[in-house]
Amino acid sequence: MSTEVKPVSKSHGLNYGIYLGFFSLLLALSILASLTIGAFAMSPLSVLAILVSPLASLLSIDLSAYYTTVEETVFWNIRFPRVVLGILVGLSLAVAGAAMQGLFRNPLADPGLIGVSQGAAFAAIAVIVLSGNFLGIFTLPVSAFVGGVTTTLLVYKLSTRNGKTSIPTMLLAGIAIGTIAGGGIGILTYMADDGQLRTLTFWTMGSLASATWEAIFSIIPLVLIAVIALPMHARSLNAFLIGENISGHLGFDPDKTKIQVIMLSALLVGAAVSAAGIIGFVGLVVPHLVRLLAGPDHRIVLPGSMILGSAVILFADLIARIIVIPAELPIGIIMSITGGPFFLWLLMNRMGRNTF
Amino acid sequence: MSILKATNLNYSVGSSQLIKNVSFEVEEGSIFSIIGPNGAGKSTLLSLLTGDAKAEGIVEIAHQDINDWESKELALKRAVLPQSVSLNFSFKVAEVVLMGRSPYVNGLAEGPHDYEISREALKIVDLEAYWDRDYTSLSGGEKQRVQFARVLVQLCKDSFEESLAGKILFLDEAVANLDPTHQHQVFIILKRLQTQGLTVINVLHDLHLTAQYSDHVLVMKNAQMLTCDTMQKVMTPERLEEIYEIPFRVIDDPETDWPLLITG
């Protein structure tokens, strides 16, 4: 009988709390940078003053000496909603990627890479062009969700036999489905009127530029549901990584895990795509970085991806906004030119080691 | 008393019938081996017994239809050690073993006892020093011993000395990748757990291990059950020739009473 019990030391001897703290620090930095830096620069002090002014005015403290009305307007109508949207989109795409990688038992699954984002965008665009809105502000997120679920199920069915997902089949099926959805988007482009056309361009490039409070409120309920529900599957996703059957032997319900994780990730991708269009590679890069630092346990990978995903999107959006001032690039382009090489590096690395 | 009962099992994939009309019972506390030539349906039969595949016919575990068991309840009664496990993510050895504790963990994290018993299990399989190692860096045989530790901590709730009456361990050619030392180590551990009441149902290729450690043997051939009997009755030259279609000689080892098998 051993009496001395040492808890399993997580990667590099640090525990999960430290990683979550570190990711949170990055997120705080990215928020501060996003709120202050831009074509119209603001000091951290005025940003802080504007942020707490509604609260301060409740206590009859007037902070207006610290900022101008222009700053106030820019903050509430442009900067702040954009940061909030960036956080929601980043966490959604990153944690959806992490969950899908667990489900496919394969670290190359990314909502953009396997066609899920394209499927979601296609469904949303089809609804815009063909039928208009039927659910008010929830029309886009809900139709994008339906598109996302359909694509995920399709890719999963096509690439999985007897609980084993074939990586080449998954990637190829994803490319094919993404291409088909892209073709569909092309056809819809011809049918769209001028106003719709502008929206469509935004969808396919991915951007946070149209951040509005309406868009934010339309996706918040979906994101909240998934953010609370997904981490509950952390342990069963861990068991899933050893094997679908084995997770059943260990007392989890693989079928239930599968369907719920597919639904929840599609919900997140649908939400993100409906508000910001197709932004690739976040779901691939972020969970990979978390695993690299903290190990593959979903109890750290899921929450860690949420926080780090938000930070990565905010930094990428910051670059997109300032690199060609006074114009701005779509964030999708920034993610593609940084995430693409990362993906290639992963592939090369994998050929050598075969593990993640 | 039987702990597992299979009645009229049939199973097909597409047009090929992999299991034809198989019925048998497994006595509680016995070591029960399934043998037979390649492609005879041994592993398929085992997957029907573990519930991984759904058969026509009835599989009863502790007198209850396997389909009526809650996954979580069943996990407290039986563990399964597959032939090999493919894991592409760099879990620590400790984390893999700890997953065996899943049926006992309520909430998010394992408790101190889960760590303690997992560490002991690694000691039992001679891998105590591997606690912090990357699982994916191990050799095939070492990985399999880690998996064996994982099923041990699933079967044994509080200690490795407790009663295991009513519990079943399924093994699917689980020692095929191990060196002779560790093959026997696994079976010596199984023999010890048998004295605590454990039932072991395993698919085996190695006839010497079968002869040495089994109480009962079920023989599969061409998707059918050829026989299901005590080890001594199956390990006869006539039976073995019928199964494998090559000549066998069987000699009783004067020291142990185990049959020694010589082919050709």
Short mmCIF file of all heavy atoms in Angstrom, two decimals, chain A residues 20-86:
data_model
loop_
_atom_site.label_atom_id
_atom_site.label_comp_id
_atom_site.label_asym_id
_atom_site.label_seq_id
_atom_site.Cartn_x
_atom_site.Cartn_y
_atom_site.Cartn_z
N LEU A 20 -5.48 29.03 -16.88
CA LEU A 20 -6.69 29.84 -17.07
C LEU A 20 -6.40 31.30 -16.71
O LEU A 20 -6.86 32.22 -17.39
CB LEU A 20 -7.85 29.29 -16.24
CG LEU A 20 -8.40 27.94 -16.71
CD1 LEU A 20 -9.55 27.49 -15.82
CD2 LEU A 20 -8.86 28.01 -18.16
N GLY A 21 -5.60 31.50 -15.65
CA GLY A 21 -5.22 32.86 -15.27
C GLY A 21 -4.42 33.54 -16.37
O GLY A 21 -4.65 34.70 -16.71
N PHE A 22 -3.49 32.80 -16.95
CA PHE A 22 -2.64 33.32 -18.01
C PHE A 22 -3.48 33.70 -19.24
O PHE A 22 -3.35 34.79 -19.81
CB PHE A 22 -1.59 32.27 -18.37
CG PHE A 22 -0.76 32.61 -19.58
CD1 PHE A 22 0.04 33.75 -19.60
CD2 PHE A 22 -0.78 31.79 -20.70
CE1 PHE A 22 0.81 34.05 -20.72
CE2 PHE A 22 -0.02 32.09 -21.81
CZ PHE A 22 0.78 33.22 -21.83
N PHE A 23 -4.40 32.81 -19.63
CA PHE A 23 -5.26 33.11 -20.78
C PHE A 23 -6.13 34.33 -20.49
O PHE A 23 -6.37 35.17 -21.35
CB PHE A 23 -6.16 31.91 -21.12
CG PHE A 23 -5.39 30.68 -21.52
CD1 PHE A 23 -5.90 29.40 -21.24
CD2 PHE A 23 -4.17 30.78 -22.17
CE1 PHE A 23 -5.19 28.27 -21.59
CE2 PHE A 23 -3.45 29.64 -22.53
CZ PHE A 23 -3.96 28.39 -22.23
N SER A 24 -6.62 34.43 -19.24
CA SER A 24 -7.47 35.57 -18.87
C SER A 24 -6.68 36.87 -18.95
O SER A 24 -7.21 37.90 -19.38
CB SER A 24 -8.03 35.39 -17.47
OG SER A 24 -8.74 34.18 -17.38
N LEU A 25 -5.42 36.80 -18.57
CA LEU A 25 -4.57 37.99 -18.65
C LEU A 25 -4.42 38.43 -20.11
O LEU A 25 -4.55 39.61 -20.43
CB LEU A 25 -3.20 37.67 -18.04
CG LEU A 25 -2.27 38.86 -17.86
CD1 LEU A 25 -2.78 39.75 -16.73
CD2 LEU A 25 -0.85 38.39 -17.55
N LEU A 26 -4.18 37.45 -20.99
CA LEU A 26 -4.09 37.77 -22.42
C LEU A 26 -5.39 38.40 -22.91
O LEU A 26 -5.37 39.37 -23.67
CB LEU A 26 -3.80 36.51 -23.23
CG LEU A 26 -2.38 35.95 -23.18
CD1 LEU A 26 -2.29 34.69 -24.01
CD2 LEU A 26 -1.39 36.99 -23.71
N LEU A 27 -6.50 37.83 -22.45
CA LEU A 27 -7.80 38.37 -22.88
C LEU A 27 -7.97 39.80 -22.40
O LEU A 27 -8.39 40.68 -23.17
CB LEU A 27 -8.93 37.48 -22.36
CG LEU A 27 -10.35 37.96 -22.68
CD1 LEU A 27 -10.56 38.05 -24.19
CD2 LEU A 27 -11.40 37.03 -22.07
N ALA A 28 -7.59 40.06 -21.14
CA ALA A 28 -7.72 41.41 -20.60
C ALA A 28 -6.87 42.39 -21.41
O ALA A 28 -7.33 43.48 -21.79
CB ALA A 28 -7.30 41.44 -19.13
N LEU A 29 -5.65 41.96 -21.75
CA LEU A 29 -4.77 42.79 -22.57
C LEU A 29 -5.40 43.08 -23.94
O LEU A 29 -5.38 44.20 -24.43
CB LEU A 29 -3.42 42.09 -22.78
CG LEU A 29 -2.38 42.30 -21.71
CD1 LEU A 29 -1.14 41.44 -22.03
CD2 LEU A 29 -1.99 43.77 -21.65
N SER A 30 -5.96 42.02 -24.55
CA SER A 30 -6.53 42.18 -25.88
C SER A 30 -7.74 43.10 -25.84
O SER A 30 -7.98 43.88 -26.76
CB SER A 30 -6.90 40.82 -26.48
OG SER A 30 -7.99 40.27 -25.78
N ILE A 31 -8.50 43.03 -24.76
CA ILE A 31 -9.66 43.91 -24.62
C ILE A 31 -9.19 45.36 -24.50
O ILE A 31 -9.68 46.25 -25.21
CB ILE A 31 -10.51 43.51 -23.39
CG1 ILE A 31 -11.18 42.16 -23.62
CG2 ILE A 31 -11.58 44.58 -23.12
CD1 ILE A 31 -11.93 41.62 -22.41
N LEU A 32 -8.22 45.58 -23.65
CA LEU A 32 -7.71 46.93 -23.44
C LEU A 32 -7.16 47.49 -24.75
O LEU A 32 -7.48 48.62 -25.15
CB LEU A 32 -6.61 46.91 -22.37
CG LEU A 32 -6.09 48.29 -21.97
CD1 LEU A 32 -7.16 49.05 -21.21
CD2 LEU A 32 -4.83 48.16 -21.11
N ALA A 33 -6.36 46.66 -25.46
CA ALA A 33 -5.78 47.12 -26.72
C ALA A 33 -6.88 47.43 -27.73
O ALA A 33 -6.85 48.46 -28.41
CB ALA A 33 -4.83 46.07 -27.26
N SER A 34 -7.88 46.55 -27.82
CA SER A 34 -8.94 46.75 -28.81
C SER A 34 -9.77 47.98 -28.52
O SER A 34 -10.26 48.64 -29.44
CB SER A 34 -9.88 45.53 -28.83
OG SER A 34 -9.18 44.41 -29.21
N LEU A 35 -9.94 48.29 -27.23
CA LEU A 35 -10.77 49.46 -26.89
C LEU A 35 -10.02 50.76 -27.11
O LEU A 35 -10.63 51.78 -27.43
CB LEU A 35 -11.22 49.37 -25.42
CG LEU A 35 -12.29 48.32 -25.11
CD1 LEU A 35 -12.56 48.26 -23.61
CD2 LEU A 35 -13.58 48.58 -25.87
N THR A 36 -8.70 50.75 -26.97
CA THR A 36 -7.97 52.01 -27.04
C THR A 36 -7.34 52.27 -28.41
O THR A 36 -7.34 53.40 -28.88
CB THR A 36 -6.84 52.04 -25.98
OG1 THR A 36 -6.07 50.85 -26.10
CG2 THR A 36 -7.42 52.11 -24.59
N ILE A 37 -6.82 51.23 -29.06
CA ILE A 37 -6.07 51.44 -30.30
C ILE A 37 -7.03 51.41 -31.49
O ILE A 37 -7.99 50.66 -31.52
CB ILE A 37 -5.01 50.34 -30.49
CG1 ILE A 37 -4.06 50.35 -29.30
CG2 ILE A 37 -4.23 50.54 -31.78
CD1 ILE A 37 -3.14 49.15 -29.23
N GLY A 38 -6.75 52.25 -32.49
CA GLY A 38 -7.56 52.24 -33.71
C GLY A 38 -7.36 53.51 -34.48
O GLY A 38 -6.53 54.35 -34.10
N ALA A 39 -8.13 53.65 -35.57
CA ALA A 39 -8.04 54.87 -36.37
C ALA A 39 -8.29 56.08 -35.48
O ALA A 39 -7.75 57.17 -35.70
CB ALA A 39 -9.06 54.83 -37.50
N PHE A 40 -9.10 55.90 -34.49
CA PHE A 40 -9.39 56.95 -33.53
C PHE A 40 -8.88 56.45 -32.17
O PHE A 40 -9.48 55.60 -31.54
CB PHE A 40 -10.92 57.16 -33.50
CG PHE A 40 -11.37 58.24 -32.54
CD1 PHE A 40 -11.42 59.57 -32.95
CD2 PHE A 40 -11.75 57.92 -31.25
CE1 PHE A 40 -11.84 60.56 -32.07
CE2 PHE A 40 -12.18 58.90 -30.37
CZ PHE A 40 -12.22 60.23 -30.78
N ALA A 41 -7.71 56.99 -31.75
CA ALA A 41 -7.09 56.47 -30.54
C ALA A 41 -7.73 57.05 -29.29
O ALA A 41 -8.14 58.22 -29.28
CB ALA A 41 -5.59 56.77 -30.53
N MET A 42 -7.84 56.24 -28.26
CA MET A 42 -8.39 56.71 -26.98
C MET A 42 -7.44 56.28 -25.87
O MET A 42 -6.83 55.21 -25.95
CB MET A 42 -9.77 56.10 -26.74
CG MET A 42 -10.88 56.72 -27.58
SD MET A 42 -12.49 56.25 -26.94
CE MET A 42 -12.89 54.91 -28.01
N SER A 43 -7.35 57.09 -24.83
CA SER A 43 -6.46 56.71 -23.75
C SER A 43 -7.15 55.69 -22.86
O SER A 43 -8.38 55.69 -22.75
CB SER A 43 -6.08 57.93 -22.91
OG SER A 43 -7.18 58.29 -22.10
N PRO A 44 -6.38 54.81 -22.24
CA PRO A 44 -6.99 53.82 -21.34
C PRO A 44 -7.83 54.49 -20.26
O PRO A 44 -8.86 53.95 -19.86
CB PRO A 44 -5.77 53.11 -20.73
CG PRO A 44 -4.67 53.31 -21.71
CD PRO A 44 -4.93 54.63 -22.37
N LEU A 45 -7.40 55.69 -19.84
CA LEU A 45 -8.13 56.38 -18.79
C LEU A 45 -9.54 56.77 -19.26
O LEU A 45 -10.52 56.53 -18.56
CB LEU A 45 -7.35 57.63 -18.34
CG LEU A 45 -7.95 58.34 -17.12
CD1 LEU A 45 -7.86 57.46 -15.89
CD2 LEU A 45 -7.26 59.69 -16.88
N SER A 46 -9.63 57.37 -20.46
CA SER A 46 -10.98 57.76 -20.94
C SER A 46 -11.84 56.53 -21.16
O SER A 46 -13.03 56.51 -20.87
CB SER A 46 -10.91 58.62 -22.19
OG SER A 46 -9.70 58.54 -22.85
N VAL A 47 -11.21 55.46 -21.70
CA VAL A 47 -11.97 54.22 -21.91
C VAL A 47 -12.57 53.74 -20.59
O VAL A 47 -13.75 53.40 -20.50
CB VAL A 47 -11.05 53.13 -22.52
CG1 VAL A 47 -11.66 51.75 -22.36
CG2 VAL A 47 -10.80 53.43 -23.98
N LEU A 48 -11.71 53.75 -19.56
CA LEU A 48 -12.17 53.29 -18.25
C LEU A 48 -13.28 54.19 -17.73
O LEU A 48 -14.30 53.71 -17.21
CB LEU A 48 -10.98 53.27 -17.28
CG LEU A 48 -11.20 52.46 -16.01
CD1 LEU A 48 -11.30 50.99 -16.34
CD2 LEU A 48 -10.09 52.72 -15.01
N ALA A 49 -13.08 55.50 -17.88
CA ALA A 49 -14.07 56.46 -17.39
C ALA A 49 -15.41 56.26 -18.09
O ALA A 49 -16.47 56.24 -17.44
CB ALA A 49 -13.56 57.88 -17.61
N ILE A 50 -15.38 56.07 -19.43
CA ILE A 50 -16.64 55.87 -20.16
C ILE A 50 -17.31 54.57 -19.70
O ILE A 50 -18.52 54.51 -19.48
CB ILE A 50 -16.38 55.81 -21.69
CG1 ILE A 50 -15.76 57.12 -22.17
CG2 ILE A 50 -17.68 55.56 -22.44
CD1 ILE A 50 -15.24 57.07 -23.59
N LEU A 51 -16.47 53.55 -19.53
CA LEU A 51 -17.01 52.23 -19.16
C LEU A 51 -17.75 52.27 -17.82
O LEU A 51 -18.82 51.68 -17.67
CB LEU A 51 -15.87 51.21 -19.11
CG LEU A 51 -16.26 49.74 -19.12
CD1 LEU A 51 -17.02 49.41 -20.40
CD2 LEU A 51 -15.01 48.87 -19.02
N VAL A 52 -17.18 52.98 -16.85
CA VAL A 52 -17.82 52.98 -15.52
C VAL A 52 -18.79 54.15 -15.34
O VAL A 52 -19.48 54.23 -14.33
CB VAL A 52 -16.78 53.00 -14.36
CG1 VAL A 52 -15.91 51.77 -14.43
CG2 VAL A 52 -15.96 54.26 -14.37
N SER A 53 -18.86 55.05 -16.36
CA SER A 53 -19.71 56.24 -16.18
C SER A 53 -21.19 55.94 -15.92
O SER A 53 -21.81 56.62 -15.10
CB SER A 53 -19.55 57.21 -17.37
OG SER A 53 -20.00 56.58 -18.54
N PRO A 54 -21.79 54.91 -16.60
CA PRO A 54 -23.21 54.65 -16.29
C PRO A 54 -23.40 54.28 -14.81
O PRO A 54 -24.34 54.71 -14.16
CB PRO A 54 -23.57 53.48 -17.18
CG PRO A 54 -22.55 53.45 -18.24
CD PRO A 54 -21.30 54.00 -17.63
N LEU A 55 -22.43 53.50 -14.31
CA LEU A 55 -22.49 53.08 -12.91
C LEU A 55 -22.27 54.29 -11.99
O LEU A 55 -22.97 54.48 -10.99
CB LEU A 55 -21.38 52.04 -12.68
CG LEU A 55 -21.66 51.01 -11.59
CD1 LEU A 55 -22.83 50.13 -11.98
CD2 LEU A 55 -20.40 50.18 -11.36
N ALA A 56 -21.26 55.12 -12.40
CA ALA A 56 -20.92 56.28 -11.59
C ALA A 56 -22.09 57.26 -11.51
O ALA A 56 -22.35 57.84 -10.45
CB ALA A 56 -19.68 56.96 -12.16
N SER A 57 -22.78 57.40 -12.65
CA SER A 57 -23.88 58.38 -12.64
C SER A 57 -25.01 57.92 -11.71
O SER A 57 -25.76 58.73 -11.17
CB SER A 57 -24.40 58.64 -14.05
OG SER A 57 -24.96 57.46 -14.56
N LEU A 58 -25.14 56.62 -11.55
CA LEU A 58 -26.12 56.12 -10.57
C LEU A 58 -25.77 56.60 -9.17
O LEU A 58 -26.64 56.83 -8.33
CB LEU A 58 -26.13 54.58 -10.58
CG LEU A 58 -26.86 53.90 -11.73
CD1 LEU A 58 -26.76 52.38 -11.57
CD2 LEU A 58 -28.31 54.33 -11.78
N LEU A 59 -24.47 56.73 -8.93
CA LEU A 59 -24.02 57.20 -7.62
C LEU A 59 -23.79 58.71 -7.64
O LEU A 59 -23.13 59.26 -6.77
CB LEU A 59 -22.71 56.49 -7.23
CG LEU A 59 -22.75 54.96 -7.23
CD1 LEU A 59 -21.35 54.38 -7.13
CD2 LEU A 59 -23.63 54.46 -6.08
N SER A 60 -24.32 59.38 -8.70
CA SER A 60 -24.21 60.83 -8.87
C SER A 60 -22.76 61.31 -8.92
O SER A 60 -22.42 62.37 -8.41
CB SER A 60 -24.94 61.60 -7.73
OG SER A 60 -26.22 61.07 -7.55
N ILE A 61 -21.89 60.47 -9.53
CA ILE A 61 -20.52 60.94 -9.75
C ILE A 61 -20.39 61.26 -11.23
O ILE A 61 -20.76 60.44 -12.08
CB ILE A 61 -19.49 59.86 -9.37
CG1 ILE A 61 -19.69 59.43 -7.91
CG2 ILE A 61 -18.06 60.37 -9.59
CD1 ILE A 61 -18.95 58.18 -7.52
N ASP A 62 -19.90 62.43 -11.56
CA ASP A 62 -19.79 62.81 -12.96
C ASP A 62 -18.35 62.62 -13.41
O ASP A 62 -17.43 63.25 -12.91
CB ASP A 62 -20.22 64.28 -13.12
CG ASP A 62 -20.26 64.66 -14.60
OD1 ASP A 62 -20.23 63.73 -15.45
OD2 ASP A 62 -20.30 65.87 -14.90
N LEU A 63 -18.17 61.71 -14.41
CA LEU A 63 -16.82 61.43 -14.90
C LEU A 63 -16.55 62.09 -16.24
O LEU A 63 -15.54 61.84 -16.88
CB LEU A 63 -16.62 59.91 -15.02
CG LEU A 63 -16.62 59.10 -13.73
CD1 LEU A 63 -16.58 57.62 -14.06
CD2 LEU A 63 -15.46 59.48 -12.83
N SER A 64 -17.50 62.92 -16.71
CA SER A 64 -17.42 63.40 -18.10
C SER A 64 -16.20 64.29 -18.35
O SER A 64 -15.85 64.54 -19.50
CB SER A 64 -18.70 64.14 -18.48
OG SER A 64 -18.92 65.22 -17.59
N ALA A 65 -15.54 64.72 -17.29
CA ALA A 65 -14.34 65.52 -17.48
C ALA A 65 -13.22 64.69 -18.11
O ALA A 65 -12.29 65.23 -18.71
CB ALA A 65 -13.88 66.08 -16.14
N TYR A 66 -13.31 63.36 -17.97
CA TYR A 66 -12.22 62.51 -18.43
C TYR A 66 -12.33 62.11 -19.90
O TYR A 66 -11.47 61.45 -20.42
CB TYR A 66 -12.14 61.25 -17.57
CG TYR A 66 -11.80 61.55 -16.13
CD1 TYR A 66 -12.80 61.66 -15.17
CD2 TYR A 66 -10.48 61.75 -15.75
CE1 TYR A 66 -12.50 61.93 -13.86
CE2 TYR A 66 -10.16 62.03 -14.43
CZ TYR A 66 -11.17 62.12 -13.49
OH TYR A 66 -10.87 62.40 -12.19
N TYR A 67 -13.46 62.45 -20.56
CA TYR A 67 -13.59 62.05 -21.97
C TYR A 67 -14.47 63.04 -22.73
O TYR A 67 -15.22 63.80 -22.12
CB TYR A 67 -14.18 60.64 -22.09
CG TYR A 67 -15.49 60.45 -21.36
CD1 TYR A 67 -16.71 60.78 -21.97
CD2 TYR A 67 -15.52 59.92 -20.07
CE1 TYR A 67 -17.91 60.59 -21.29
CE2 TYR A 67 -16.71 59.74 -19.39
CZ TYR A 67 -17.90 60.08 -20.01
OH TYR A 67 -19.08 59.91 -19.35
N THR A 68 -14.33 63.02 -24.06
CA THR A 68 -15.15 63.90 -24.90
C THR A 68 -16.41 63.14 -25.34
O THR A 68 -16.48 61.92 -25.26
CB THR A 68 -14.38 64.32 -26.16
OG1 THR A 68 -14.16 63.14 -26.94
CG2 THR A 68 -13.05 64.96 -25.80
N THR A 69 -17.40 63.90 -25.83
CA THR A 69 -18.63 63.24 -26.30
C THR A 69 -18.35 62.39 -27.52
O THR A 69 -18.99 61.36 -27.73
CB THR A 69 -19.74 64.26 -26.64
OG1 THR A 69 -19.16 65.35 -27.33
CG2 THR A 69 -20.45 64.73 -25.38
N VAL A 70 -17.40 62.84 -28.37
CA VAL A 70 -17.06 62.02 -29.55
C VAL A 70 -16.52 60.67 -29.09
O VAL A 70 -16.93 59.62 -29.58
CB VAL A 70 -15.98 62.73 -30.42
CG1 VAL A 70 -15.62 61.86 -31.62
CG2 VAL A 70 -16.48 64.09 -30.86
N GLU A 71 -15.65 60.73 -28.10
CA GLU A 71 -15.09 59.48 -27.57
C GLU A 71 -16.20 58.59 -27.04
O GLU A 71 -16.21 57.37 -27.25
CB GLU A 71 -14.07 59.78 -26.45
CG GLU A 71 -12.73 60.25 -26.97
CD GLU A 71 -11.73 60.49 -25.84
OE1 GLU A 71 -12.14 60.98 -24.76
OE2 GLU A 71 -10.55 60.21 -26.06
N GLU A 72 -17.13 59.21 -26.35
CA GLU A 72 -18.23 58.44 -25.77
C GLU A 72 -19.03 57.74 -26.86
O GLU A 72 -19.36 56.55 -26.75
CB GLU A 72 -19.13 59.37 -24.95
CG GLU A 72 -20.07 58.62 -24.03
CD GLU A 72 -20.99 59.52 -23.23
OE1 GLU A 72 -21.00 60.74 -23.52
OE2 GLU A 72 -21.70 59.02 -22.36
N THR A 73 -19.34 58.51 -27.92
CA THR A 73 -20.12 57.94 -29.02
C THR A 73 -19.36 56.80 -29.69
O THR A 73 -19.92 55.71 -29.93
CB THR A 73 -20.43 59.02 -30.06
OG1 THR A 73 -20.88 60.19 -29.39
CG2 THR A 73 -21.48 58.54 -31.04
N VAL A 74 -18.08 57.06 -30.01
CA VAL A 74 -17.28 56.01 -30.66
C VAL A 74 -17.25 54.77 -29.77
O VAL A 74 -17.42 53.64 -30.24
CB VAL A 74 -15.84 56.52 -30.93
CG1 VAL A 74 -14.94 55.35 -31.33
CG2 VAL A 74 -15.85 57.58 -32.00
N PHE A 75 -17.07 54.98 -28.48
CA PHE A 75 -16.96 53.84 -27.56
C PHE A 75 -18.23 52.98 -27.57
O PHE A 75 -18.19 51.78 -27.82
CB PHE A 75 -16.67 54.34 -26.14
CG PHE A 75 -16.49 53.21 -25.16
CD1 PHE A 75 -15.26 52.60 -25.02
CD2 PHE A 75 -17.56 52.74 -24.40
CE1 PHE A 75 -15.09 51.55 -24.13
CE2 PHE A 75 -17.40 51.69 -23.52
CZ PHE A 75 -16.16 51.10 -23.38
N TRP A 76 -19.38 53.63 -27.30
CA TRP A 76 -20.59 52.84 -27.12
C TRP A 76 -21.13 52.27 -28.42
O TRP A 76 -21.74 51.20 -28.42
CB TRP A 76 -21.69 53.65 -26.41
CG TRP A 76 -21.39 53.88 -24.97
CD1 TRP A 76 -21.21 55.08 -24.36
CD2 TRP A 76 -21.23 52.89 -23.95
NE1 TRP A 76 -20.92 54.92 -23.04
CE2 TRP A 76 -20.94 53.57 -22.75
CE3 TRP A 76 -21.28 51.49 -23.93
CZ2 TRP A 76 -20.71 52.90 -21.55
CZ3 TRP A 76 -21.06 50.84 -22.73
CH2 TRP A 76 -20.77 51.54 -21.56
N ASN A 77 -20.93 53.01 -29.54
CA ASN A 77 -21.54 52.55 -30.78
C ASN A 77 -20.62 51.70 -31.65
O ASN A 77 -21.08 50.94 -32.49
CB ASN A 77 -22.06 53.73 -31.60
CG ASN A 77 -23.18 54.44 -30.86
OD1 ASN A 77 -23.94 53.81 -30.12
ND2 ASN A 77 -23.24 55.74 -31.02
N ILE A 78 -19.31 51.88 -31.47
CA ILE A 78 -18.39 51.16 -32.37
C ILE A 78 -17.45 50.22 -31.60
O ILE A 78 -17.51 49.00 -31.77
CB ILE A 78 -17.57 52.15 -33.22
CG1 ILE A 78 -18.53 52.99 -34.08
CG2 ILE A 78 -16.60 51.39 -34.11
CD1 ILE A 78 -17.90 54.16 -34.77
N ARG A 79 -16.63 50.80 -30.74
CA ARG A 79 -15.59 49.99 -30.10
C ARG A 79 -16.15 48.88 -29.20
O ARG A 79 -15.82 47.71 -29.35
CB ARG A 79 -14.69 50.88 -29.23
CG ARG A 79 -13.74 51.74 -29.98
CD ARG A 79 -12.52 50.95 -30.45
NE ARG A 79 -11.87 51.68 -31.52
CZ ARG A 79 -11.01 52.67 -31.30
NH1 ARG A 79 -10.69 52.98 -30.09
NH2 ARG A 79 -10.48 53.31 -32.32
N PHE A 80 -17.00 49.29 -28.27
CA PHE A 80 -17.44 48.33 -27.26
C PHE A 80 -18.24 47.17 -27.86
O PHE A 80 -17.94 46.00 -27.59
CB PHE A 80 -18.22 49.04 -26.16
CG PHE A 80 -18.42 48.21 -24.93
CD1 PHE A 80 -17.34 47.62 -24.29
CD2 PHE A 80 -19.70 47.99 -24.41
CE1 PHE A 80 -17.52 46.84 -23.15
CE2 PHE A 80 -19.88 47.21 -23.29
CZ PHE A 80 -18.79 46.63 -22.65
N PRO A 81 -19.25 47.46 -28.72
CA PRO A 81 -19.96 46.31 -29.33
C PRO A 81 -19.02 45.41 -30.12
O PRO A 81 -19.18 44.19 -30.12
CB PRO A 81 -21.01 46.95 -30.24
CG PRO A 81 -20.71 48.40 -30.29
CD PRO A 81 -19.86 48.74 -29.10
N ARG A 82 -18.03 46.01 -30.77
CA ARG A 82 -17.11 45.20 -31.57
C ARG A 82 -16.29 44.25 -30.68
O ARG A 82 -16.06 43.09 -31.03
CB ARG A 82 -16.19 46.13 -32.36
CG ARG A 82 -15.34 45.38 -33.35
CD ARG A 82 -14.81 46.31 -34.40
NE ARG A 82 -14.01 45.58 -35.36
CZ ARG A 82 -13.78 45.98 -36.59
NH1 ARG A 82 -14.29 47.12 -37.03
NH2 ARG A 82 -13.05 45.25 -37.41
N VAL A 83 -15.88 44.77 -29.53
CA VAL A 83 -15.12 43.91 -28.60
C VAL A 83 -16.01 42.80 -28.05
O VAL A 83 -15.61 41.63 -28.00
CB VAL A 83 -14.53 44.76 -27.45
CG1 VAL A 83 -14.06 43.86 -26.31
CG2 VAL A 83 -13.38 45.60 -27.95
N VAL A 84 -17.24 43.15 -27.68
CA VAL A 84 -18.16 42.13 -27.16
C VAL A 84 -18.41 41.06 -28.21
O VAL A 84 -18.35 39.85 -27.94
CB VAL A 84 -19.49 42.76 -26.69
CG1 VAL A 84 -20.48 41.68 -26.30
CG2 VAL A 84 -19.25 43.71 -25.53
N LEU A 85 -18.64 41.50 -29.45
CA LEU A 85 -18.88 40.53 -30.52
C LEU A 85 -17.63 39.67 -30.75
O LEU A 85 -17.73 38.46 -30.94
CB LEU A 85 -19.27 41.25 -31.81
CG LEU A 85 -19.71 40.32 -32.94
CD1 LEU A 85 -21.01 39.62 -32.58
CD2 LEU A 85 -19.86 41.07 -34.25
N GLY A 86 -16.47 40.32 -30.70
CA GLY A 86 -15.22 39.58 -30.88
C GLY A 86 -15.07 38.49 -29.83
O GLY A 86 -14.69 37.35 -30.15
#
